[in-house]
Amino acid sequence: MNTTTNHSSILRQAPDVIADNVLRLERDLAGSVVNDLNPLLGSLFTLFHQYQKHHWVVTGPQFGQLHDFLKDGYSELHDQADKVAERITALGGVPVSTPARQQELACFETEPEGVFDLRQMLEHDLNAEGDIISMLRVLIRRFNGLGDFASEQILREIIVEREEYAHHLEHYLALESLTRAMHPML
Ligand SMILES: [Fe+2]
């Protein structure tokens, strides 16, 4: 059986080609925003996969709460990635869509396959969130400078949600102060 498909014969827009847009944003400018948005899209989807894995493998006394919290995390990331991808198409670009390429473009190193200690897995998530937040901050400033205020606004909304989620992760990782208060000598 021949399992190879010649996709190039039906390719209508190569991944690196920027089409015209109706937003009256100059094509070069739109292209540079797309080049910045695709790594963000890759990062959001890569973290989406990481949260999904953690949602699947989480165990322990806080299982129920964390299982739901991680589901909120990947659901939120999915919606955010969708908004970024749709902005890329509005700008005339092609959103990066294969998991392999998304991971390659991501701004953080994804956790390897396998199950780790829960604390370690949440620390990996918090580090990834930090890298994405830093990236968002740089891009918001850049898009403002370029005059692409809609892309800037979309990223502003995302950064508020990502910072809030990272803050909640930090709370899950906090030491149990109630127990320490009961045992002041520890
Ligand atoms: Fe589930």
Side-chain angles (χ1 to χ4, degrees):
M1 194 176 82
N2 181 10
T3 54
T4 55
T5 308
N6 184 5
H7 290 289
S8 62
S9 62
I10 51 167
L11 188 64
R12 293 170 66 100
Q13 185 177 356
D16 52 346
V17 170
I18 305 292
D20 282 333
N21 65 74
V22 295
L23 312 178
R24 303 210 176 169
L25 281 171
E26 192 200 318
R27 201 200 289 223
D28 281 356
L29 190 152
S32 101
V33 174
V34 167
N35 282 340
D36 283 336
L37 286 179
N38 263 327
L40 175 64
L41 178 57
S43 305
L44 297 172
F45 256 120
T46 302
L47 189 54
F48 163 86
H49 287 298
Q50 193 164 294
Y51 278 136
Q52 193 142 54
K53 168 186 159 186
H54 293 169
H55 164 82
W56 293 330
V57 302
V58 62
T59 55
Q62 293 187 72
F63 163 77
Q65 238 183 333
L66 271 167
H67 188 64
D68 291 346
F69 175 70
L70 292 161
K71 183 175 186 172
D72 290 345
Y74 73 69
S75 305
E76 206 175 73
L77 280 164
H78 194 274
D79 290 346
Q80 293 163 350
D82 190 51
K83 282 180 190 143
V84 171
E86 285 172 5
R87 181 62 185 167
I88 291 172
T89 58
L91 290 165
V94 182
V96 61
S97 60
T98 60
R101 184 68 182 137
Q102 288 172 344
Q103 191 176 327
E104 216 170 69
L105 288 181
C107 64
F108 65 94
E109 207 173 313
T110 191
E111 181 183 282
E113 289 286 353
V115 178
F116 300 87
D117 283 347
L118 184 54
R119 173 165 288 276
Q120 226 181 339
M121 292 193 291
L122 296 183
E123 280 169 359
H124 291 157
D125 293 336
L126 189 54
N127 279 333
E129 291 283 7
D131 289 346
I132 289 178
I133 287 166
S134 300
M135 182 191 224
L136 283 163
R137 212 164 278 145
V138 169
L139 296 186
I140 286 167
R141 205 172 283 137
R142 190 176 298 162
F143 295 166
N144 176 280
L146 288 172
D148 182 357
F149 305 118
S151 294
E152 179 200 351
Q153 179 62 26
I154 291 166
L155 268 52
R156 277 178 183 271
E157 285 161 18
I158 294 176
I159 199 173
V160 171
E161 292 176 348
R162 296 276 36 96
E163 285 196 9
E164 194 181 347
Y165 196 86
H167 181 52
H168 289 174
L169 257 178
E170 184 194 10
H171 281 179
Y172 276 109
L173 286 163
L175 291 175
E176 172 56 277
S177 59
L178 189 62
T179 311
R180 273 198 299 162
M182 288 165 66
H183 304 283
M185 301 306 287
L186 291 179

